[in-house]
Amino acid sequence: MYRIDAYHRPTSVAEAVDLLAAPTRSALAGGTAIRHDGGATPTEVVDLQALGLDEIEAERDIVRIGAMARLSAVAEHEAVPDLVRRAARGEMPSTLRTLATVGGTIGTAASDSVFLAALLVHDASVHFADGGSIALSSVLHDGLAAGELIVAVEVQPSGPTALAATGRTPADDPIVAAVARSADDGIRLALCGVGPTPELVDVGDLDRLEPPADFRGSTAYRRHLARVLSARVLEELS
């Protein structure tokens, strides 16, 4: 267990960036999880709720989702692509969806997050307070640098999509899930439950996957699910 030694509530993005520059401080978005080393090191939290950053709006051929938008709001907003809305409705228990944020979900990067997989196939880009942006796939692969503050995520909304998942029960988090989207330049396929984070994959690489085993499924079982579920969503789009 770690202890929280101080609480900060900035009122501007610039103030939040300055506070997060200290290595002992962690961002607090929805409060369902805090990124920390898990040790006994004291930490300070920087509450981002007063910054706004929760708007969802369509801008020409993209949809921009503020980092502090709650998953419950994403699930209900008509501008958000259907697949992303569907995935948001299935992310976490309903009581936590009203708290959890888009930025926090990216920072947590849960391996079984269908929501993150849905963002991946919609070519999501992550935008930071310093004005820079990077593909979500890179953020999930490399992680967030210390002090980085996500302000928004942008997605490409067009194209038919498909989702298939297998869990122990219909209400359970998926053991493995596959999502796909047909874009002008080809099909995007993403999987969750086969690695440390959700990831974009090529169909030809499915047999080379080495998913981590746990009490819900062995490596071989998860690889089998990845093949079956991928075939299912690709067939739906064909």
Side-chain angles (χ1 to χ4, degrees):
M1 297 291 290
Y2 62 90
R3 71 175 189 266
I4 295 175
D5 277 6
Y7 170 85
H8 307 274
R9 190 179 174 93
T11 56
S12 70
V13 170
E15 183 185 359
V17 170
D18 287 342
L19 286 167
L20 289 170
T24 57
R25 293 173 181 156
S26 299
L28 174 65
T32 59
I34 297 177
R35 294 179 70 232
H36 189 267
D37 62 12
T41 307
T43 190
E44 303 176 18
V45 295
V46 179
D47 189 341
L48 307 178
Q49 294 184 79
L51 303 184
L53 301 180
D54 59 353
E55 293 185 355
I56 302 174
E57 54 190 356
E59 300 177 353
R60 299 182 298 278
D61 58 346
I62 63 168
V63 174
R64 185 177 178 91
I65 306 172
M68 289 297 292
R70 311 291 173 170
L71 295 185
S72 56
V74 173
E76 301 301 326
H77 202 287
E78 293 183 354
V80 176
D82 289 344
L83 176 65
V84 177
R85 293 173 63 187
R86 178 183 173 187
R89 283 194 291 270
E91 194 87 356
M92 313 179 74
S94 59
T95 51
L96 294 182
R97 286 197 297 273
T98 62
L99 301 172
T101 65
V102 172
T105 303
I106 293 171
T108 304
S111 64
D112 57 3
S113 173
V114 180
F115 178 70
L116 292 179
L119 291 179
L120 283 171
V121 300
H122 277 282
D123 297 334
S125 58
V126 180
H127 294 251
F128 298 96
D130 64 3
S133 65
I134 191 171
L136 174 60
S137 56
S138 296
V139 173
L140 295 179
H141 182 270
D142 300 330
L144 290 169
E148 280 188 321
L149 178 60
I150 299 173
V151 295
V153 177
E154 293 184 353
V155 297
Q156 303 290 332
S158 61
T161 57
L163 185 159
T166 294
R168 293 178 299 173
T169 70
D172 197 15
D173 291 333
I175 300 169
V176 174
V179 296
R181 166 177 165 261
S182 180
D184 291 341
D185 57 350
I187 289 180
R188 313 282 193 271
L189 173 65
L191 297 173
C192 60
V194 298
T197 65
E199 57 187 284
L200 290 166
V201 297
D202 293 323
V203 175
D205 293 335
L206 293 176
D207 289 334
R208 291 191 287 272
L209 292 173
E210 290 293 331
D214 64 10
F215 69 96
R216 297 193 300 167
S218 66
T219 294
Y221 178 59
R222 287 175 180 268
R223 187 186 302 114
H224 171 72
L225 286 180
R227 288 195 297 261
V228 170
L229 297 174
S230 295
R232 193 172 296 170
V233 294
L234 293 174
E235 181 179 5
E236 186 174 338
L237 292 181
S238 63

